[in-house]
Amino acid sequence: MSDPMRPRASLRTAVVWEVLKEALDRRVKATGREALDVLDTGGGSGNFAVPLAALGHRVTVVDPSPNALFALERRAAEAGVAERVQGVQGDVLGLFDVVERGGYDAVLCHGVLEYVEDPAEGVRNAVDALRPQGALSLLAAGLGGAVLSRALAGHFTDARHALSDPAGRWGAGDPVPHRFTAEQLTGLVDAAGATAGAVHGVRVFADLVPGVLVDTEPGALDALLKLEAAAAELPAFHAVATQLHVLGEKRG
């Protein structure tokens, strides 16, 4: 996926990018430091890390994939921010084998909790990596979006199964091990020692609208982006979002 600044990719990242950038701006003002220390767990090839480094922040990416880290290194070099991006092989459950505890102004945990054996431990580690009042950006798969998607595809039994499954899975063939409600995610954040703040629904409509319409209809992409932004903060739409974003702050 392209970085958050490119139009087509922004259908998936625009809401998160704006919320994250505002949170980092607040940390810059609070700390008096222009360059923050940011940790991106599961950051892959740098979809967020490279744009954040371009803003002047120092970013450490922890990812289990050597191929992703190689792509990150190349991408950072091409963007001219290689000196501000460091890639480390590891994962969120073994986070403190590779990074410092309590050493970061912000921690990103995007698309990680769905795939770890113990999501609660993953959130605890992400929060423990933060300095006091540090910002946590948590993005995970939403239960409601999967239920709606399966139902619209005619897989009604799958949709009903996901509603009752403790992990939010629609069946044995489901490639996503965990899905969450907004209440579950904010509960994990609170239990980990952070205060859950804003919750946003991500990809409320983007995954339901035919791609050909967005790509060919004049002005459709921009209009869809504005619709996504308008719906993201409304709790009524959290229940049908493909992903949920929670912004947290570590308690002092």
Side-chain angles (χ1 to χ4, degrees):
M1 185 172 66
S2 301
D3 68 56
M5 309 306 289
R6 293 183 61 180
R8 195 67 175 87
S10 62
L11 278 174
R12 295 174 178 268
T13 61
V15 169
V16 178
W17 178 251
E18 290 304 319
V19 173
L20 177 61
K21 188 175 181 299
E22 289 175 6
L24 293 179
D25 288 345
R26 289 194 295 271
R27 292 306 301 150
V28 165
K29 291 179 181 178
T31 62
R33 290 184 285 109
E34 289 293 328
L36 301 177
D37 296 304
V38 180
L39 175 65
D40 189 351
T41 65
S45 61
N47 295 330
F48 279 86
V50 170
L52 288 174
L55 294 177
H57 303 303
R58 296 177 293 270
V59 188
T60 300
V61 175
V62 175
D63 197 280
S65 168
N67 290 337
L69 293 175
F70 178 77
L72 168 70
E73 182 179 353
R74 183 179 60 211
R75 188 173 185 177
E78 291 173 351
V81 297
E83 73 281 0
R84 292 195 293 273
V85 176
Q86 177 187 16
V88 182
Q89 190 171 0
D91 61 55
V92 73
L93 296 187
L95 193 58
F96 301 116
D97 294 335
V98 294
V99 302
E100 177 187 0
R101 189 183 297 267
Y104 297 90
D105 299 294
V107 173
L108 282 59
C109 187
H110 294 173
V112 172
L113 296 186
E114 298 93 323
Y115 300 101
V116 298
E117 186 174 343
D118 188 344
E121 183 182 351
V123 178
R124 283 196 302 270
N125 285 352
V127 172
D128 286 348
L130 285 167
R131 294 168 179 150
Q133 284 79 53
L136 173 69
S137 178
L138 187 65
L139 181 68
L143 171 62
V147 173
L148 183 61
S149 176
R150 298 307 287 178
L152 290 177
H155 303 297
F156 307 121
T157 300
D158 287 353
R160 183 163 54 87
H161 187 276
L163 282 173
S164 60
D165 184 73
R169 291 169 56 92
W170 48 255
D174 192 339
V176 179
H178 300 277
R179 290 189 183 87
F180 305 89
T181 64
E183 292 75 18
Q184 288 171 333
L185 287 177
T186 56
L188 289 174
V189 171
D190 288 333
T195 300
V199 178
H200 291 83
V202 179
R203 291 155 57 193
V204 175
F205 306 104
D207 291 348
L208 303 176
V209 176
V212 65
L213 172 64
V214 177
D215 292 332
T216 60
E217 189 72 20
L221 176 60
D222 185 59
L224 181 54
L225 282 168
K226 291 177 180 177
L227 177 61
E228 288 279 354
E233 295 186 34
L234 300 177
F237 290 99
H238 296 168
V240 295
T242 298
Q243 291 178 303
L244 294 166
H245 182 255
V246 178
L247 186 68
E249 180 179 299
K250 184 174 182 177
R251 294 192 283 269

